[in-house]
Amino acid sequence: RSPPPPLQPSGPRATPFAAMMRALAVLALVATAAALVAPRSVLVVQNKGGGHGELGFHLAKQMRAKGLEVTILQDECKTTAAPFSSYPELEAAGVKVVYTKLTPDLDVASLVPPHDVVLDNNAKDAPTVAPLVNAAEAWGSSQFLYVSSAGMYKGVEDTKDAGVPVESQMGMIETDPVKGDNGCRMTELYLQSRGAPLTSFRPQYIYGSHSNKRLLDFVFDRVTRGLPVPLPYHGEQLAPLTNAADVASMMVAAVGNPAAVGQVYNCGSPRVVTYRGLVRLAAEAARVEARTVLYDPRELKAPKAWPFRPLSFFVCPSKAVAELAWQPQHGIAEDLGEWYRQYLALGLDRRVMSGEELAADKEIVAAVAPEMLGAYAAVA
């Protein structure tokens, strides 16, 4: 699965003119590399939520700590919600925040001054990213970083193979097959067609502070109430859960790095966890007993309960480790304790779970472990 070698000129195409054009291309890359030595300013274009919602906060915080001038161009959002409620902390450190509506007709130049680097953590289609590319071209920006998604990979799920042994599973690399109609993939292709000095990042399963998509709460909602956690198939599927601060540090490592231009990097922890292991670790953090039930989603046509994919789905970040000297500083096993403390501080252990939230769980438990149904009486 190694990438193909670069094409080499041969035969009659290797003309003096072609050689001259290749030399000019090399000079252009050298000039680009020189421009990347010391970028001074970064524009972070930030969405208003979802799985990447907290990245803008961490990116701005880390880049400002490195002395970069940072502006967040923020899509209209609920400023009292995480992570946006913490923006005053960034502003106190010198980060500028500009609120607007991120639309295809966005007039970027009327909102912010030129920046050396543009980082887009919003667009999922060509029309939305186009105004940013236009601005970057007009400014002569030396880099365009795009937060894409690992969700584009076809992965084992598309083969419907639920029986692959854990020890034989491999993380997806950047050259593995992707879904051609995926919005982020189509945006990557558009950016390439525009000739942007592009670096693309494909994150997966992000957690951490200032998150507005709290996937881990699904597990804590159940283990803290003595409820079984429904797991698809055998529960030994693998997934990387990556702290948002580590995802951000990978992107920050690419800023001003000429080797990153023209590259795609997977954003995922090199340490994976099984679904059973995740439930066990969460239960240990909460100091309660872990209870799980296993079911086959092919046989039991219940609504989706587990928030992750039913089969193993994880990326390999070795390219970023090698080329960007990236090393994550967090691990899910160590971070679950802090997540649980935040969970308690928010009072989430005391909230009343609705019947709708637990409907899929009850249907699964009734089918495969009816003796556990009594657990739901205490939270009704």
Side-chain angles (χ1 to χ4, degrees):
R1 296 193 299 176
S2 299
L7 295 176
Q8 300 295 330
S10 60
R13 292 185 181 273
T15 62
F17 177 76
M20 180 184 70
M21 294 304 293
R22 291 197 303 276
L24 289 173
V26 170
L27 289 173
L29 287 174
V30 171
T32 299
L36 291 178
V37 171
R40 295 186 299 257
S41 58
V42 182
L43 176 66
V44 177
V45 183
Q46 177 59 46
N47 63 23
K48 59 185 174 184
H52 302 170
E54 67 268 43
L55 287 183
F57 175 88
H58 291 281
L59 285 164
K61 183 176 181 179
Q62 292 182 27
M63 289 190 289
R64 190 72 190 106
K66 288 182 174 292
L68 290 163
E69 299 173 12
V70 183
T71 301
I72 297 178
L73 189 58
Q74 176 63 57
D75 196 13
E76 292 181 348
C77 62
K78 186 177 180 181
T79 57
T80 56
F84 318 114
S85 58
S86 296
Y87 277 5
E89 174 186 337
L90 298 177
E91 292 174 307
V95 175
K96 298 177 182 177
V97 182
V98 177
Y99 294 90
T100 189
K101 192 170 184 179
L102 299 177
T103 60
D105 60 355
L106 181 70
D107 184 359
V108 181
S110 70
L111 296 168
V112 294
H115 285 72
D116 299 328
V117 177
V118 175
L119 189 155
D120 179 24
N121 185 33
N122 175 67
K124 298 292 185 290
D125 55 53
T128 306
V129 80
L132 305 175
V133 183
N134 295 339
E137 286 181 352
W139 296 339
S141 301
S142 58
Q143 278 183 292
F144 194 103
L145 278 57
Y146 175 57
V147 183
S148 185
S149 172
M152 70 176 66
Y153 291 114
K154 291 184 176 179
V156 69
E157 185 172 3
D158 287 359
T159 69
K160 302 296 186 291
D161 185 358
V164 178
V166 169
E167 62 272 12
S168 71
Q169 296 177 23
M170 298 175 62
M172 292 168 288
I173 61 175
E174 289 83 353
T175 54
D176 275 348
V178 297
K179 301 170 184 175
D181 61 350
N182 177 274
C184 288
R185 177 55 180 160
M186 295 173 74
T187 305
E188 288 182 349
L189 294 173
Y190 172 75
L191 290 168
Q192 291 171 10
S193 74
R194 288 289 302 269
L198 177 65
T199 305
S200 185
F201 298 89
R202 297 173 179 172
Q204 177 193 14
Y205 294 155
I206 302 172
Y207 73 93
S209 65
H210 303 88
S211 175
N212 58 11
K213 187 175 182 181
R214 299 177 57 88
L215 288 175
L216 296 177
D217 286 355
F218 178 93
V219 180
F220 282 112
D221 282 343
R222 286 151 181 80
V223 299
T224 58
R225 293 167 174 81
L227 301 177
V229 181
L231 299 177
Y233 298 116
H234 42 65
E236 300 300 323
Q237 300 91 317
L238 301 176
L241 293 161
T242 311
N243 193 294
D246 285 334
V247 174
S249 72
M250 181 189 293
M251 298 176 188
V252 173
V255 174
N257 187 338
V261 177
Q263 300 300 320
V264 176
Y265 296 105
N266 285 333
C267 291
S269 172
R271 298 167 60 185
V272 295
V273 64
T274 67
Y275 291 169
R276 281 182 189 254
L278 177 60
V279 175
R280 177 179 57 79
L281 289 170
E284 288 177 0
R287 298 184 179 181
V288 296
E289 180 185 358
R291 305 175 72 191
T292 60
V293 292
L294 305 178
Y295 71 101
D296 189 332
R298 296 169 299 187
E299 297 177 0
L300 181 60
K301 303 300 181 183
K304 181 181 177 181
W306 184 242
F308 304 103
R309 295 191 180 217
L311 302 176
S312 289
F313 190 81
F314 62 103
V315 296
C316 174
S318 59
K319 182 179 177 182
V321 171
E323 296 184 5
L324 302 178
W326 175 71
Q327 289 295 332
Q329 302 301 308
H330 299 266
I332 187 63
E334 297 80 10
D335 286 351
L336 277 173
E338 177 58 28
W339 186 277
Y340 179 58
R341 285 187 287 274
Q342 293 177 7
Y343 180 86
L344 295 179
L346 292 170
L348 299 178
D349 60 318
R350 301 187 301 274
R351 74 179 184 89
V352 178
M353 296 185 69
S354 69
E356 183 179 353
E357 284 182 272
L358 295 171
D361 296 50
K362 290 181 179 179
E363 186 173 340
I364 292 167
V365 172
V368 299
E371 68 280 5
M372 291 188 175
L373 281 173
Y376 296 95
V379 296

